[in-house]
């Protein structure tokens, strides 16, 4: 091991501290599969193994750990990663292998619920046989097909009941409910199911099971017949005859379905009301038909006159007079009608006729003018295309005056106007183009001459001006002066000529000087060559061979740079220089030979370094290899020089592998940065998704989605530590926020309902008029808006009026005030006080019909003991006579009808004022009298002997016992109900 290896720190995952190792596992690159596998299977610390398991993506290794690891936490962690791989990834080999490694029902159920691939979901479901796991899939799976498939495999009726009560999805709950036949389980579903549709369906199934066909009761049939008669008589006072006709047919169908013919008085009463209603409807239809016929005649007359007016207003062209005469004749043949619009249409027709004649006269005058304008347009177009621009411009003003003299006041000759203006524009464009061309030519000449002056003026005083350049510049200046090219302005011409003349004079003088200087330099170069010969002869006796070698090369270069070359030098000077040079070179050859050997040794050393660098260029251990290459580069600098011919080649060979390695390292770093960026983007998307779900109220679906996001988070891979911690904290905060809200979701839902009810109260109170505007007309659509708000209030689970809820009191007071201020707006709706009063009276009448005329009448001032004694005497008498069974059957049927009437009463809208209080008191009194006179229920043994299913009220009564004490408690409960009813009436009176 080298010194650098000893000084280099070990990676964190090799540290002795297990906490440091566990943190170091998170920083390992994804391609270190073998290291992660070794840590997950061999590390002695459980935390390190769990951290390594979270980074693994190999289903085979994870399956081995999930089945055979000795630590339960490691096994659970491996199972979680396998579930994540099978749930998040698409249908791939790795996802299939992960699913195959799972065996526990809870893990298979999770995959079946949330897997991204339908194939994986169905594969996981096919391996499930545990009823609890199947129930979990049926309740919570995101795919409807998976939910129903899991439900089909459930054979336990109790588990089906659990799905019906607790499922997050209504379709699964309804399908599970269809599998239930146990009444007790159906009752539990009706009480505890999460979805209203499931509750209603369960109640329907219970009702179908509990209710048996019963023979019709004559009293009930009579009460229904009376109600139908009341409905038919009530229609006689209707103001909407179309709705009355439909309601009459519906009421007549109800009468026929009832089949009641035992009471001739009721039958005669119904037929008389029906005949009277038919006469009223027929009379109304006749009046409406007559009115419709009259309106149709008036409408046809107005339409015919309007059409003739439009026809005359649209008449144009040569045949206008004839068409106008025909329209006048048609107008005179129209039948007379009486309507306010007829006089207006007469005036409109006369104005249209006058306007038509005026248009015809104007059109004739315009035709002659158009012919002359067309001739002028043709001449203008010929001038615009003429080659003689000067002649065209001379003729154009006169042509334009003629055109203006024929100018029209309308827009009918817009095409000719456009043609004339187009010719004028074309002529102007041609003139402008000619002017631009001349201007551009002059400007180009000025630029060319200015550029020539700008180029020669700075070089005129320059020391480096050559004889050839001076001659060339002088020729160009003379040529420019001879051509005398035109320029834009006179001032430009004067300025450029002045500059050219100055250049001509200056260049002539400089040319004369340069010729004299050239002759002088030729004499100077000869003296320089003689000096170089003397210097070369001095090197013959120099002892320092390195210096002699350098001087030899320098003198050879200066000889070649001399103004007159060696080939043009005089022969004696050249021979003298070559003789001295050969003498010096012979002395330096041995020295150069030794220097060549050193260069060869240095070349071999550098080639060896090149080979070492080339061997390292393709390695991927970036840190270690980079250190080695840097050491080779430092060693390269210590090696001496090589021959000049090999210097460039060997340097390029050495630099190529170094550049290749560092280029690969940079590309790998860029790839890893891109990978980190991609992971960061995906994790930021997961954080954003979790933060968007943090305030959701879809509790079950959101919880499952957040768990899926956490699983997907683990499969993405690590980031840089700083960014990983920040994003992990964001995800945890979003999840903690949602699950904290999930813990108090009932409070949140309650606050939301309360806020919604407050908004509804404010909305309906905003409809109330001000104190000084109570007589204002009702706003349009008031009834529809109020009824819509009332439906939203009822759907929001509002508290009953008797609960003392202040918001309920506010809402009801606002409705009553609006209905009282604008009764006509609520006619025919649930808030129609007249219709509500009639329905209340019908319900009270039907309810009072169930009160027996010979039943036990209790003294209002009697004590509870006296009332109890009266009930006992009646019960003993009934048992003695043997009519208890028939009496109880009659009372049971009447009680069911009374319950229906109570439900119908609750569905009615409010009725304010004294009539409402009176009917409320009447209804309460009738209910209390009915239940007060009802005989006590038979003992449990007697009920079972009669072989019938007891009602819920009978079961409640029989469960209390048989003795007088139990009957006393029942009477006390009824008295308490009466008191509660009195309190409700008092609350209604206060409102």
């Amino acid at each position: 091991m080298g010194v650098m290896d000893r000084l280099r720190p070990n990676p964190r995952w090799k540290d002795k501290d297990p906490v440091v190792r566990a943190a170091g596992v998170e920083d390992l690159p994804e391609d270190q599969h073998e290291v992660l596998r070794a840590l997950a299977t061999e590390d002695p610390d459980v935390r390190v193994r769990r951290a390594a398991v979270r980074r693994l993506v190999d289903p085979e290794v994870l399956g081995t750990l999930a089945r055979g690891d000795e630590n339960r936490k490691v096994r659970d962690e491996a199972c979680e990663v396998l579930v994540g791989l099978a749930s998040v990834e698409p249908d791939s080999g790795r996802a299939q292998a992960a699913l195959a490694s799972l065996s526990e029902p809870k893990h298979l159920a999770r995959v079946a619920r949330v897997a991204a691939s339908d194939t994986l979901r169905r594969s996981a479901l096919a391996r499930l046989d545990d009823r609890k796991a199947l129930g979990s899939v049926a309740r919570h799976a995101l795919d409807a097909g998976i939910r129903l498939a899991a439900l089909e495999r459930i054979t336990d009726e109790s588990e089906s009941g659990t799905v019906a009560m607790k499922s997050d999805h209504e379709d699964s709950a309804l399908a599970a409910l269809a599998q239930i036949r146990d009444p007790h389980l159906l009752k539990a579903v009706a009480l505890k199911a999460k979805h209203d549709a499931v509750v209603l369906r369960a109640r329907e199934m219970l009702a179908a099971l509990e209710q048996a066909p019963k023979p019709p009761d004559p009293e009930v049939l009579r009460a229904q017949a009376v109600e139908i008669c009341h409905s038919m008589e009530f229609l006689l006072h209707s103001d909407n005859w179309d709705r009355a006709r439909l309601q009459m047919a519906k009421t007549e169908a109800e009468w026929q379905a009832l089949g009641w013919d035992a009471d001739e008085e009721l039958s005669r009463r119904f037929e008389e009301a029906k005949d009277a209603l038919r006469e009223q409807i027929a009379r109304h239809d006749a009046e409406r038909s007559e009115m419709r016929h009259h309106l149709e005649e008036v409408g046809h007359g107005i339409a015919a006159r309007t059409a003739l007016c439009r026809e005359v207003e649209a008449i144009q062209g040569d045949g206008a007079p004839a068409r106008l005469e025909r329209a006048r004749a048609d107008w005179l043949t129209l039948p007379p009608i009486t309507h306010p619009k007829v006089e207006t249409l007469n005036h409109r027709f006369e104005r249209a006729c006058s306007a038509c004649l005026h248009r015809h006269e104007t059109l004739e005058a315009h035709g002659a003018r158009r012919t002359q304008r067309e001739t002028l347009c043709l001449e203008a177009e010929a001038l615009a295309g003429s080659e003689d621009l000067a002649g065209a411009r001379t003729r154009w003003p006169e042509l334009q005056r003629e055109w203006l003299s024929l100018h029209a006041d309308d827009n009918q000759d817009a095409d000719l106007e456009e043609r004339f203006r187009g010719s004028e524009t074309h002529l102007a464009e041609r003139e402008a183009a000619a002017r631009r061309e001349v201007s551009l030519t002059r400007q180009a000449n000025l630029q060319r001459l200015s550029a020539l002056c700008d180029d020669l003026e700075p070089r005129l005083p320059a020391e480096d001006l050559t004889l050839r350049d001076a001659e060339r510049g002088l020729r160009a200046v003379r040529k420019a002066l001879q051509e005398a090219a035109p320029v834009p302005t006179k001032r430009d011409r004067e300025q450029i000529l002045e500059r050219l003349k100055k250049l001509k004079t200056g260049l002539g003088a400089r040319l004369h000087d340069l010729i004299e200087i050239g002759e002088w330099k030729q004499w100077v170069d000869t003296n320089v060559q003689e000096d170089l010969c003397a210097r070369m002869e001095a090197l013959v006796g120099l002892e320092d061979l390195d210096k002699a070698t350098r001087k030899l090369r320098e003198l050879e270069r200066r000889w070649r740079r001399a103004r007159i070359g060696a080939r043009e030098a005089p022969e004696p000077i050249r021979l003298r220089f070559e003789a001295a040079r050969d003498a010096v070179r012979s002395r330096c050859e041995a020295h150069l030979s030794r220097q060549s050997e050193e260069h060869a040794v240095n070349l071999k050393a550098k080639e060896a370094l090149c080979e070492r660098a080339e061997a390292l260029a393709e390695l991927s251990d970036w840190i270690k290899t980079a250190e080695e290459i840097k050491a080779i580069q430092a060693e390269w600098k210590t090696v001496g020089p090589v021959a000049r011919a090999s210097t460039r080649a060997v340097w390029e060979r050495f630099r190529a592998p170094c550049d290749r390695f560092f280029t690969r390292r940079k590309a790998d770093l860029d790839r890893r940065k891109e990978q980190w960026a991609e992971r960061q983007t995906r994790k930021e998307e997961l954080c954003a998704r979790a933060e968007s779900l943090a305030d959701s109220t879809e509790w079950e679906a959101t919880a499952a989605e957040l768990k899926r996001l956490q699983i997907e988070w683990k499969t993405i891979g690590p980031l840089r530590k700083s960014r990983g911690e920040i994003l992990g904290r964001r995800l945890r905060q979003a999840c903690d926020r949602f699950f904290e809200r999930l813990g108090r979701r009932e409070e949140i839902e309650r606050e939301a309902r309360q806020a919604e009810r407050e908004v509804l109260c404010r909305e309906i109170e905003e409809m109330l008029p001000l104190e000084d505007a109570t007589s204002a007309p009702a706003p349009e659509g008031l009834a529809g808006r109020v009824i819509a708000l009332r439906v939203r209030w009822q759907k929001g689970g509002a508290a009953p009026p008797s609960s003392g809820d202040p918001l309920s009191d506010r809402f009801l007071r606002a409705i009553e005030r609006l209905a009282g201020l604008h009764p006509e707006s609520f006619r025919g709706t649930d808030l129609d006080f007249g219709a509500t009063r009639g329905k209340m009276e019908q319900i009270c009448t039907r309810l009072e019909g169930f009160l027996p005329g010979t039943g036990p009448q209790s003294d209002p001032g009697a004590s509870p003991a006296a009332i109890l004694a009266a009930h006992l005497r009646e019960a003993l008498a009934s048992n003695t006579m043997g009519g208890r069974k028939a009496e109880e059957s009659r009372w049971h049927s009447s009680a069911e009808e009374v319950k229906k009437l109570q439900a119908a009463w609750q569905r009615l809208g409010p009725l304010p004022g004294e009539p409402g209080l009176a009917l409320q008191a009447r209804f309460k009194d009738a209910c209390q009298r009915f239940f007060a006179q009802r005989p006590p229920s038979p003992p449990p043994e007697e009920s079972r002997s009669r072989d019938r299913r007891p009602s819920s009220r009978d079961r409640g009564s029989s469960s209390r016992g048989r003795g007088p004490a139990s009957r006393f408690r029942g009477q006390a409960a009824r008295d308490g109900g009466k008191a509660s009813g009195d309190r409700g009436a008092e609350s209604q009176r206060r409102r």
Side-chain angles (χ1 to χ4, degrees), residues 159-171:
E159 188 63 32
S160 299
T162 303
V163 175
M165 288 186 285
K166 300 181 179 180
S167 176
D168 298 336
H169 306 277
E170 187 176 298
D171 55 350

Side-chain angles (χ1 to χ4, degrees), residues 38 68 108 147 298 383 385 413 438 507 524 620 636 729 757 759 767 807 867 941:
L108 294 173
R147 294 197 301 271
V298 172
L383 287 177
D413 292 341
V438 172
L507 287 172
V524 171
S620 299
W636 177 277
R729 186 161 54 251
R757 294 171 66 210
V759 171
M767 300 181 189
L807 291 179
I867 295 175
E941 291 80 1

Side-chain angles (χ1 to χ4, degrees), residues 926-938:
C927 291
Q928 293 167 3
R929 288 171 56 195
F930 176 82
F931 288 109
Q933 295 179 12
R934 181 178 180 180
S937 301

